[in-house]
Amino acid sequence: MLVPREARISAALLRQLIDSCQSALPEEACGVLIGERHTDYIEVRELAIVPNAAAEPDRTFAFEPGAWIAAAYAARTSRRCIVGLFHSHPAHPPIPSRSDLQGWDGCGSYWIVGLAASPADIRAYRLDADGELMDMRIAVR
């Protein structure tokens, strides 16, 4: 399924995303973005923090399996879907590393919150029809 080129999110929810990532410092935060898929955009309506179960959580992330399943179930029962995954980079810009991309199946959008600078730098990505990583526009409403 192709992901649209634009993601819409409220300013309050974007602030919640940043705050959640900052509160996890010095470790990487991670979670899912829940919302709706439309033809031309995705609408992020809520986020679910998933505990980072990585062996080195200050350098990488891995979803805690039970919390990941609970987040997916919550999305489904609210008649919404997971429209993206996110994680933070505590000391680096929001550019995906090779290991970041290994855990992503290309479904939905992929957001990284870079906390190396102030204010936080947020980027969203998607895969195009050829499987190439592309920037996704974030429209704050």
Side-chain angles (χ1 to χ4, degrees), residues 31-88:
V32 297
L33 302 168
I34 299 168
E36 301 155 1
R37 292 181 195 273
H38 300 275
T39 304
D40 298 331
Y41 64 94
I42 60 170
E43 182 84 32
V44 180
R45 298 285 185 178
E46 59 187 288
L47 62 94
I49 304 300
V50 176
N52 186 348
E56 296 180 284
D58 58 326
R59 294 186 174 155
T60 188
F61 76 98
F63 286 171
E64 191 281 316
W68 162 238
I69 291 167
Y73 181 76
R76 186 175 193 133
T77 58
S78 70
R79 297 197 117 121
R80 293 192 170 147
C81 60
I82 294 175
V83 295
L85 308 177
F86 73 87
H87 80 282
S88 62

Side-chain angles (χ1 to χ4, degrees), residues 60-61 85 87 96-106 110 133:
T60 188
F61 76 98
L85 308 177
H87 80 282
S97 68
R98 182 175 305 159
S99 65
D100 289 341
L101 296 176
Q102 286 175 346
W104 181 41
D105 66 2
Y110 191 85
L133 189 68

Side-chain angles (χ1 to χ4, degrees), residues 21 24-29 57-59 87-92 113-117:
C21 291
L25 289 171
E27 297 179 354
E28 291 191 10
D58 58 326
R59 294 186 174 155
H87 80 282
S88 62
H89 282 178
H92 299 286
V113 180
L115 300 171

